[in-house]
Amino acid sequence: ILFNTTLADSIAALQQQGKNIHLIDAYAAFINGTNRKAELFWDELHPNQTGYDILAELIWQKVGINQ
């Protein structure tokens, strides 16, 4: 959690400098409380097609804003 906070602070600082950089919180999409959403993984680590579709949508939402 400390890493996430530090990363978010670093991204915010770069944005204040005018850098076109975004933080995509994929973790929140793949977690339910404190448990991994098992239906989004084909194993314990790698997303399945549904998981990748969700990840792609999160990325598109950020990238699409700047196009």
Side-chain angles (χ1 to χ4, degrees):
I1 294 183
L2 177 60
F3 174 79
N4 291 346
T5 302
T6 302
L7 182 60
D9 291 345
S10 296
I11 296 294
L14 290 169
Q15 289 171 334
Q16 289 177 345
Q17 295 173 17
K19 305 291 184 186
N20 187 17
I21 186 169
H22 299 278
L23 179 63
I24 298 171
D25 184 7
Y27 179 79
F30 287 91
I31 210 80
N32 184 10
T34 58
N35 298 316
R36 185 178 298 132
K37 293 181 182 177
E39 69 275 11
L40 300 178
F41 295 87
W42 64 270
D43 62 5
E44 294 287 322
L45 181 62
H46 301 94
N48 59 23
Q49 187 59 54
T50 303
Y52 278 118
D53 290 345
I54 290 169
L55 184 56
E57 181 60 29
L58 290 171
I59 293 168
W60 179 249
Q61 288 173 6
K62 288 290 184 177
V63 172
I65 290 171
N66 295 317
Q67 290 186 351

